[in-house]
Each structure stands twice: as structure tokens, then as C-alpha cells.
Amino acid sequence: MIYFDCPRGASGDMLLGALLDINKDKDNLKMALVRAGFKNLKIDLRDKKIDGISGTAIKFITGREPLPNYGSVKDLLENIKTAKTIKNNIEKTYDII
């Protein structure tokens, strides 16, 4: 189990960087993103230290920067190989947003 304590909030890249600090398997991350439909995505991982706190900074580099919308998220979810309950939770989250 993982517990997140984010009193100031945390963005997706911050959370992913923290998880990669646990297991820096960059190749596994890339394969998962390709399976999800992100074939031309490049990942830039760097060790970073700010105010005495160190971690992995992650940046995604694409040829284009489309803004995600509900339709594109649903299309991606159809192609991701993961448990149906996870897909349902993601859809519920977007419904709330």
C-alpha cells in the first residue's frame, strides 16, 4: 500500500517521478506508455534537488501538445490493458471534473 500525504498538492508528473524513485525502471514505463497508445513519446528523467528535497523530475516530450478532453481519455482507456475497475474509476474521476 502507498500513502500519499500532499498538503500542498501534487501534479501527475510529481507523483510519477516519486513512484519512479522507488523503482527507476524507465524501460518498463516506456513500454506501458506504448501499450497505452503513446508511440512517439520521449521521456526525460533527471535527478533534481530543491530546498534540500531530492527526487526524479520527469518531462514528457511529444511532437505535439494536444489538450486532453473526455473523448480522447475514453479512447485511450479502451486501449489500455488494465483492470476494468481501474478504467471505471478513471472515467468516474473525469465525470466529476
Side-chain angles (χ1 to χ4, degrees):
M1 175 172 24
I2 297 175
Y3 171 74
F4 291 101
D5 183 11
C6 307
R8 292 181 164 178
S11 63
D13 61 335
M14 291 170 67
L15 291 174
L16 185 55
L19 292 171
L20 283 172
D21 280 340
I22 296 169
N23 179 6
K24 289 191 179 195
D25 192 349
K26 184 177 175 181
D27 292 331
N28 191 26
L29 174 62
K30 284 183 178 180
M31 288 188 310
L33 291 169
V34 167
R35 285 193 305 267
F38 298 101
K39 293 176 179 57
N40 298 319
L41 187 67
K42 292 187 174 118
I43 304 168
D44 179 28
L45 295 174
R46 296 176 189 222
D47 292 327
K48 198 168 189 179
K49 189 171 187 176
I50 300 174
D51 295 329
I53 300 172
S54 61
T56 299
I58 185 166
K59 182 176 181 182
F60 295 101
I61 304 160
T62 64
R64 58 187 173 91
E65 297 292 330
L67 294 174
N69 59 43
Y70 187 68
S72 65
V73 170
K74 283 190 80 167
D75 290 342
L76 285 173
L77 285 175
E78 289 178 17
N79 296 318
I80 293 175
K81 292 179 176 81
T82 191
K84 183 143 181 76
T85 54
I86 294 173
K87 290 181 182 184
N88 289 341
N89 287 339
I90 294 170
E91 285 185 17
K92 288 177 186 175
T93 301
Y94 268 85
D95 285 341
I96 292 169
I97 295 172

